[in-house]
Amino acid sequence: DQQVKQNSPSLSVQEGRISILNCDYTNSMFDYFLWYKKYPAEGPTFLISISSIKDKNEDGRFTVFLNKSAKHLSLHIVPSQPGDSAVYFCAARDPNAGGTSYGKLTFGQGTILTVHP
Amino acid sequence: ETGVTQSPTHLIKTRGQQVTLRCSSQSGHNTVSWYQQALGQGPQFIFQYYREEENGRGNFPPRFSGLQFPNYSSELNVNALELDDSALYLCASSGKGEGQYFGAGTRLSVL
């Protein structure tokens, strides 16, 4: 069962414009959501997160929005830069799934973002 | 750079063999999680080790096993390799109240 889904395999955006990456989830027990960025030959790098008790979190050019009723979150990157080109993963934490710290993370399939100069 | 190192970077094995992958966690981190990332998919949680004990396991068979050592480094062992085990194996370390920091992974190919 795919509890976290990123339905867009790829997204292409012009430099300076907004990039919007979307993520849907089915498990209402998830209490924390994270976005990771991954470059080729590197591990995923933490980007930004949001607690389930909030609906927005902002960090510089990156903003994550959470709509709990729709079980949907999105990552906005404004303005997009060519260096943002990477695979973006949405991940969610289930506090009841065992483990400590950030416990077991469930990842989406990823969205390849390409920002054109 | 996250301070999490994995070895080897690439590995080729044949079906039925056994493999051991290694991970050194970031200094001060006592928790290590292992993930399998198949081509075109997101990472899938295998298991987590905290203070040398398995502490949470995903939907993987018992032939996937692990160890954590007193210095918090960790090993992932896979017995009786199958073709579908071909994937990128990621290790992530974390400490109290922090997020997970990933290594660059080990690319395993099973022929």
Side-chain angles (χ1 to χ4, degrees):
Chain A
D1 64 336
Q2 194 79 38
Q3 295 188 57
V4 177
K5 287 185 183 179
Q6 293 175 257
N7 292 315
S8 298
S10 63
L11 176 67
S12 184
V13 169
Q14 207 67 32
E15 181 179 6
R17 299 288 186 106
I18 184 171
S19 295
I20 300 176
L21 297 109
N22 294 303
C23 179
D24 297 298
Y25 63 96
T26 57
N27 187 346
S28 57
M29 299 305 293
F30 287 145
D31 70 340
Y32 221 84
F33 301 89
L34 307 90
W35 283 94
Y36 282 84
K37 179 168 75 172
K38 187 178 185 302
Y39 293 118
E42 293 183 14
T45 304
F46 170 75
L47 203 53
I48 192 169
S49 63
I50 188 167
S51 164
S52 60
I53 62 173
K54 297 190 173 182
D55 55 18
K56 178 182 174 181
N57 188 27
E58 199 170 345
D59 183 3
R61 296 186 298 115
F62 303 92
T63 303
V64 56
F65 295 92
L66 175 62
N67 183 335
K68 279 188 70 176
S69 60
K71 293 193 175 68
H72 177 84
L73 66 155
S74 60
L75 173 68
H76 292 211
I77 306 173
V78 183
S80 302
Q81 300 172 353
D84 295 330
S85 297
V87 181
Y88 287 78
F89 291 102
C90 162
R93 179 182 79 167
D94 180 351
N96 300 315
T100 63
S101 187
Y102 279 83
K104 167 186 172 181
L105 290 180
T106 301
F107 282 81
Q109 311 94 306
T111 297
I112 302 170
L113 174 65
T114 305
V115 181
H116 299 283
Chain B
E1 195 169 310
T2 63
V4 179
T5 57
Q6 293 187 243
S7 62
T9 53
H10 294 86
L11 204 50
I12 300 174
K13 291 285 188 178
T14 56
R15 201 168 43 176
Q17 284 189 310
Q18 178 266 341
V19 70
T20 297
L21 310 182
R22 294 179 175 82
C23 172
S24 292
S25 57
Q26 185 164 314
S27 177
H29 285 182
N30 56 15
T31 304
V32 173
S33 302
W34 285 92
Y35 292 82
Q36 180 196 66
Q37 186 182 3
L39 202 60
Q41 300 297 316
Q44 258 196 298
F45 178 77
I46 303 174
F47 44 55
Q48 184 182 81
Y49 277 82
Y50 171 66
R51 293 188 177 179
E52 303 177 55
E53 299 277 336
E54 186 180 293
N55 186 32
R57 188 177 183 95
N59 192 23
F60 281 81
R63 60 188 185 84
F64 285 78
S65 63
L67 280 174
Q68 187 179 31
F69 300 99
N71 66 354
Y72 302 131
S73 66
S74 177
E75 286 182 356
L76 164 65
N77 299 291
V78 187
N79 293 322
L81 283 167
E82 300 177 0
L83 297 179
D84 284 350
D85 295 334
S86 296
L88 178 68
Y89 288 85
L90 294 162
C91 161
S93 76
S94 51
K96 188 176 180 181
E98 298 181 33
Q100 295 191 10
Y101 295 84
F102 284 84
T106 294
R107 173 73 61 188
L108 172 65
S109 298
V110 182
L111 306 178

